[in-house]
Amino acid sequence: MDSADSAAAGAAGISAVTLRRIERAAGGLATRSVALMDERLPWFRSLPAAQRSWVTLVAQAGIAGYVGWASAGLDGVRLTEAVFGSAPRELIRSVSLRRTVELVRIAISVAEEHLPALGTTPVERAALADSLLRYSREVAFSAAAVYAAAAESRGALDLRLEALVVDALVRGEDSDALASRAAALNWNFAVPVSVLVGSGFSMSGPVGSGYPRSGDVETDGGAGGTSTGTTRAAELGAAVGATVLSGVHGDRLILVLSAPDGAVLDRAAVAMLGVFGDGPVVRGPTAVGLSGAINSARQALAGIHAIPAWPEAPRGIDAEALLPERVLDGDQTARHSLQRNVYQPLLAAGDPLLDTLSAYLGAGRSLEAAARSLFVHANTVRYRLRRIAEITGLDATGWRDALTLQVALTVGRLADGP
């Protein structure tokens, strides 16, 4: 039975005179309802005066709306507007759906107690009681529809705000506006943060080409929108105790992860790999603070740009593992990192280590050839290589670390000049 049918059934046996009496009694019944709310609901007593007056308006509109429902056959949309149209949006944010149900229950109980007595005959009084039951159901559905619409609106706003925050991080916008937007999303930059960059949402999330850019987020939740993928990323993060912000730039998906500690952040990063589409995924360094998040995003983007130079790179690789490729790609951050963290510590340790490293790499990573060129024993070369590994964390005997050390030597010597 739809709303019109319910109204028609509710109006059966109720005269126009009785409906007018109900309409005139609406104000007094609303006052009685609010008095009972104040008596039975402690949280209602703590509401500001403005919000209490809004509730009074809704209660009065709810009782008066019965007349329109019973006489004019208001459908669900018009009934919702008649009952809740007088309430400002702030009321929905201030009073939860559960509490709204409590308020509606009290208002309906007052109506059920007093309205049937306004009937002129026993048959009419019975018809009033019966129609009030149906009307209470319609009001409950209307309240649920109002809160559902408000939730959808907030969800769309949060998605757009989330996209703006991610976009600002990508652009390096360390500003009060970015901080306030992040705060609006309850984002905490005081805990470890890391950024992941890869291809767009995987086939298990939203599908199709033409991913919307940041700020152009679809909110229908269907297969073609990003809201499903965004929700999936958030759910995966929550499952391991992390918070996720997501944004799509062209065909790249950017996820900003935040967690209470590094271990949780690492688990979240692994879990997020399934959200990305096919292709490489690069993770920026773990950092703290807004500037740290910006740096993590910058390095992750530099890594995804340089990763084609290493086709065999593992999926989910750290941006710092791509320092040689990033230097060759013109990334000054990678160049300064190798100078500061590799070349300068070796330079400070003394010439034997730099000379040994240069000889070893120049000899094609041959211990004997390096030892002959340095006029030392091979064990001396081994010892010095172990010292290099202790200082830099890089093992020159492995081809990947050897490449990183070679590039670090090159950029360091270039920085030192002739």
Side-chain angles (χ1 to χ4, degrees):
M1 180 181 293
D2 60 20
S3 297
D5 292 337
S6 297
I14 303 174
S15 67
V17 173
T18 299
L19 290 175
R20 284 196 295 271
R21 295 174 64 186
I22 292 173
E23 192 170 15
R24 287 193 297 268
L29 292 179
T31 302
R32 172 61 179 160
S33 299
V34 173
L36 281 179
M37 295 170 190
D38 189 76
E39 177 185 330
R40 298 178 182 177
L41 305 175
W43 61 264
F44 180 74
R45 292 194 293 271
S46 64
L47 289 178
Q51 295 179 13
R52 289 165 61 91
S53 67
W54 295 338
V55 172
T56 302
L57 287 175
V58 172
Q60 186 169 351
I63 296 173
Y66 169 76
V67 177
W69 175 82
S71 61
L74 295 180
D75 58 18
V77 174
R78 288 187 293 167
L79 180 61
T80 300
E81 180 62 28
V83 176
F84 297 98
S86 59
R89 291 183 180 273
E90 289 78 4
L91 182 60
I92 297 175
R93 290 194 289 267
S94 304
V95 181
S96 67
L97 176 60
R98 179 181 62 81
R99 289 181 169 181
T100 297
V101 171
E102 292 177 349
L103 297 177
V104 170
R105 182 180 292 116
I106 289 176
I108 293 298
S109 68
V110 170
E112 290 175 341
E113 180 182 353
H114 293 87
L115 290 187
L118 297 178
T120 57
T121 65
V123 173
E124 193 173 50
R125 287 193 285 272
L128 278 169
D130 184 63
S131 65
L132 278 171
L133 290 175
R134 282 189 283 271
Y135 178 68
S136 64
R137 183 193 66 178
E138 296 298 329
V139 171
F141 284 143
S142 296
V146 168
Y147 277 84
E152 288 180 0
S153 178
R154 284 196 301 271
L157 178 61
D158 286 350
L159 285 175
R160 292 186 180 277
L161 191 58
E162 185 175 325
L164 287 173
V165 170
V166 174
D167 187 63
L169 288 176
V170 170
R171 295 198 314 270
E173 181 187 317
D174 191 351
S175 65
D176 292 340
L178 174 57
S180 64
R181 289 169 181 166
L185 292 168
N186 294 322
W187 186 259
N188 183 11
F189 285 107
V191 297
V193 178
S194 184
V195 177
L196 272 71
V197 179
S199 56
F201 288 112
S202 70
M203 296 301 288
S204 56
V207 297
S209 59
Y211 295 101
R213 296 181 181 274
S214 262
D216 297 330
V217 180
E218 298 291 338
T219 59
D220 59 3
T226 62
S227 61
T228 302
T230 298
T231 302
R232 181 165 171 257
E235 290 173 348
L236 285 174
V240 296
T243 306
V244 185
L245 295 181
S246 60
V248 181
H249 288 246
D251 59 351
R252 288 177 182 168
L253 171 62
I254 300 171
L255 299 182
V256 186
L257 310 182
S258 174
D261 56 63
V264 174
L265 198 63
D266 292 341
R267 290 197 296 272
V270 173
M272 290 303 117
L273 294 180
V275 177
F276 290 90
D278 296 335
V281 177
V282 176
R283 177 184 174 185
T286 299
V288 175
L290 191 55
S291 59
I294 291 173
N295 177 61
S296 183
R298 182 184 299 117
Q299 294 204 44
L301 287 166
I304 205 70
H305 192 267
I307 203 170
W310 186 11
E312 298 81 14
R315 184 174 165 89
I317 188 172
D318 289 342
E320 292 179 341
L322 293 163
L323 289 174
E325 289 79 9
R326 289 167 54 191
V327 169
L328 295 175
D329 196 39
D331 180 10
Q332 293 302 309
T333 300
R335 182 185 181 118
H336 295 154
S337 178
L338 287 179
Q339 284 179 238
R340 181 177 61 255
N341 300 324
V342 179
Y343 180 76
Q344 290 177 0
L346 290 177
L347 184 64
D351 290 339
L353 293 187
L354 277 177
D355 291 344
T356 299
L357 178 61
S358 181
Y360 178 73
L361 295 175
R365 292 189 290 146
S366 169
L367 284 171
E368 291 75 13
R372 285 194 299 270
S373 68
L374 294 169
F375 301 102
V376 297
H377 194 276
N379 286 338
T380 301
V381 176
R382 288 192 181 92
Y383 168 76
R384 292 176 180 175
L385 292 179
R386 284 198 298 271
R387 287 281 297 126
I388 290 170
E390 291 172 359
I391 293 171
T392 65
L394 298 170
D395 181 6
T397 62
W399 79 269
R400 184 68 200 172
D401 285 356
L403 173 62
T404 303
L405 289 164
Q406 181 71 71
V407 175
L409 277 179
T410 303
V411 299
R413 286 167 175 166
L414 286 173
D416 282 348

mmCIF file of all heavy atoms in Angstrom, residues 200-212 222-226 228-229:
data_model
loop_
_atom_site.group_PDB
_atom_site.id
_atom_site.type_symbol
_atom_site.label_atom_id
_atom_site.label_comp_id
_atom_site.label_asym_id
_atom_site.label_seq_id
_atom_site.Cartn_x
_atom_site.Cartn_y
_atom_site.Cartn_z
ATOM 1 N N GLY A 200 44.952 3.920 -11.478
ATOM 2 C CA GLY A 200 43.612 4.114 -10.927
ATOM 3 C C GLY A 200 43.049 2.880 -10.285
ATOM 4 O O GLY A 200 43.662 1.812 -10.284
ATOM 5 N N PHE A 201 41.834 3.021 -9.707
ATOM 6 C CA PHE A 201 41.209 1.944 -8.948
ATOM 7 C C PHE A 201 41.203 0.636 -9.734
ATOM 8 O O PHE A 201 40.992 0.610 -10.938
ATOM 9 C CB PHE A 201 39.771 2.315 -8.593
ATOM 10 C CG PHE A 201 39.669 3.383 -7.547
ATOM 11 C CD1 PHE A 201 39.187 4.641 -7.862
ATOM 12 C CD2 PHE A 201 40.049 3.133 -6.246
ATOM 13 C CE1 PHE A 201 39.081 5.627 -6.900
ATOM 14 C CE2 PHE A 201 39.949 4.107 -5.270
ATOM 15 C CZ PHE A 201 39.466 5.359 -5.602
ATOM 16 N N SER A 202 41.409 -0.452 -9.003
ATOM 17 C CA SER A 202 41.449 -1.766 -9.628
ATOM 18 C C SER A 202 40.066 -2.182 -10.102
ATOM 19 O O SER A 202 39.055 -1.582 -9.776
ATOM 20 C CB SER A 202 41.984 -2.795 -8.635
ATOM 21 O OG SER A 202 41.033 -3.028 -7.614
ATOM 22 N N MET A 203 40.023 -3.283 -10.876
ATOM 23 C CA MET A 203 38.762 -3.776 -11.422
ATOM 24 C C MET A 203 37.814 -4.244 -10.319
ATOM 25 O O MET A 203 36.624 -4.345 -10.529
ATOM 26 C CB MET A 203 39.024 -4.937 -12.387
ATOM 27 C CG MET A 203 39.824 -4.539 -13.617
ATOM 28 S SD MET A 203 39.014 -3.254 -14.590
ATOM 29 C CE MET A 203 37.683 -4.220 -15.299
ATOM 30 N N SER A 204 38.352 -4.512 -9.130
ATOM 31 C CA SER A 204 37.468 -4.902 -8.035
ATOM 32 C C SER A 204 36.815 -3.697 -7.392
ATOM 33 O O SER A 204 35.916 -3.831 -6.594
ATOM 34 C CB SER A 204 38.257 -5.674 -6.972
ATOM 35 O OG SER A 204 39.356 -4.917 -6.521
ATOM 36 N N GLY A 205 37.275 -2.482 -7.766
ATOM 37 C CA GLY A 205 36.626 -1.254 -7.349
ATOM 38 C C GLY A 205 35.903 -0.697 -8.554
ATOM 39 O O GLY A 205 35.436 -1.426 -9.418
ATOM 40 N N PRO A 206 35.807 0.644 -8.691
ATOM 41 C CA PRO A 206 35.177 1.228 -9.858
ATOM 42 C C PRO A 206 35.942 0.865 -11.119
ATOM 43 O O PRO A 206 37.162 0.755 -11.110
ATOM 44 C CB PRO A 206 35.243 2.735 -9.580
ATOM 45 C CG PRO A 206 35.346 2.820 -8.102
ATOM 46 C CD PRO A 206 36.148 1.644 -7.695
ATOM 47 N N VAL A 207 35.243 0.681 -12.217
ATOM 48 C CA VAL A 207 35.869 0.282 -13.464
ATOM 49 C C VAL A 207 35.590 1.319 -14.523
ATOM 50 O O VAL A 207 34.815 2.238 -14.343
ATOM 51 C CB VAL A 207 35.329 -1.093 -13.935
ATOM 52 C CG1 VAL A 207 35.668 -2.162 -12.941
ATOM 53 C CG2 VAL A 207 33.822 -1.041 -14.148
ATOM 54 N N GLY A 208 36.238 1.117 -15.675
ATOM 55 C CA GLY A 208 35.981 2.019 -16.787
ATOM 56 C C GLY A 208 37.080 3.040 -16.933
ATOM 57 O O GLY A 208 37.915 3.231 -16.070
ATOM 58 N N SER A 209 37.121 3.702 -18.068
ATOM 59 C CA SER A 209 38.140 4.694 -18.342
ATOM 60 C C SER A 209 37.643 6.068 -17.959
ATOM 61 O O SER A 209 36.513 6.273 -17.577
ATOM 62 C CB SER A 209 38.484 4.672 -19.832
ATOM 63 O OG SER A 209 37.319 4.950 -20.584
ATOM 64 N N GLY A 210 38.558 7.036 -18.090
ATOM 65 C CA GLY A 210 38.186 8.410 -17.828
ATOM 66 C C GLY A 210 37.959 8.684 -16.359
ATOM 67 O O GLY A 210 36.941 9.200 -15.944
ATOM 68 N N TYR A 211 38.936 8.323 -15.508
ATOM 69 C CA TYR A 211 38.800 8.585 -14.082
ATOM 70 C C TYR A 211 38.641 10.079 -13.850
ATOM 71 O O TYR A 211 39.343 10.883 -14.435
ATOM 72 C CB TYR A 211 40.048 8.104 -13.330
ATOM 73 C CG TYR A 211 40.237 6.629 -13.381
ATOM 74 C CD1 TYR A 211 41.148 6.062 -14.263
ATOM 75 C CD2 TYR A 211 39.515 5.797 -12.550
ATOM 76 C CE1 TYR A 211 41.327 4.695 -14.306
ATOM 77 C CE2 TYR A 211 39.687 4.434 -12.593
ATOM 78 C CZ TYR A 211 40.600 3.882 -13.468
ATOM 79 O OH TYR A 211 40.780 2.542 -13.521
ATOM 80 N N PRO A 212 37.730 10.478 -12.981
ATOM 81 C CA PRO A 212 37.575 11.905 -12.697
ATOM 82 C C PRO A 212 38.792 12.441 -11.965
ATOM 83 O O PRO A 212 39.445 11.723 -11.229
ATOM 84 C CB PRO A 212 36.343 11.959 -11.794
ATOM 85 C CG PRO A 212 36.258 10.614 -11.185
ATOM 86 C CD PRO A 212 36.807 9.654 -12.207
ATOM 87 N N GLY A 222 28.069 3.838 -7.822
ATOM 88 C CA GLY A 222 27.942 2.793 -8.811
ATOM 89 C C GLY A 222 29.283 2.350 -9.326
ATOM 90 O O GLY A 222 30.341 2.780 -8.905
ATOM 91 N N ALA A 223 29.240 1.463 -10.332
ATOM 92 C CA ALA A 223 30.469 0.899 -10.845
ATOM 93 C C ALA A 223 31.318 1.909 -11.559
ATOM 94 O O ALA A 223 32.509 1.726 -11.694
ATOM 95 C CB ALA A 223 30.130 -0.255 -11.788
ATOM 96 N N GLY A 224 30.729 2.991 -12.029
ATOM 97 C CA GLY A 224 31.509 3.953 -12.778
ATOM 98 C C GLY A 224 32.030 5.088 -11.959
ATOM 99 O O GLY A 224 32.762 5.925 -12.457
ATOM 100 N N GLY A 225 31.728 5.190 -10.659
ATOM 101 C CA GLY A 225 32.156 6.312 -9.850
ATOM 102 C C GLY A 225 33.323 5.935 -8.978
ATOM 103 O O GLY A 225 33.648 4.776 -8.789
ATOM 104 N N THR A 226 33.996 6.946 -8.417
ATOM 105 C CA THR A 226 35.124 6.668 -7.556
ATOM 106 C C THR A 226 34.726 6.463 -6.116
ATOM 107 O O THR A 226 35.541 6.066 -5.308
ATOM 108 C CB THR A 226 36.135 7.827 -7.628
ATOM 109 O OG1 THR A 226 35.484 9.008 -7.162
ATOM 110 C CG2 THR A 226 36.634 8.028 -9.026
ATOM 111 N N THR A 228 32.932 4.201 -4.705
ATOM 112 C CA THR A 228 33.052 2.815 -4.281
ATOM 113 C C THR A 228 34.500 2.488 -3.969
ATOM 114 O O THR A 228 34.807 1.876 -2.952
ATOM 115 C CB THR A 228 32.532 1.874 -5.381
ATOM 116 O OG1 THR A 228 31.185 2.215 -5.666
ATOM 117 C CG2 THR A 228 32.617 0.436 -4.933
ATOM 118 N N GLY A 229 35.414 2.894 -4.850
ATOM 119 C CA GLY A 229 36.834 2.656 -4.606
ATOM 120 C C GLY A 229 37.338 3.408 -3.403
ATOM 121 O O GLY A 229 38.126 2.892 -2.610
#
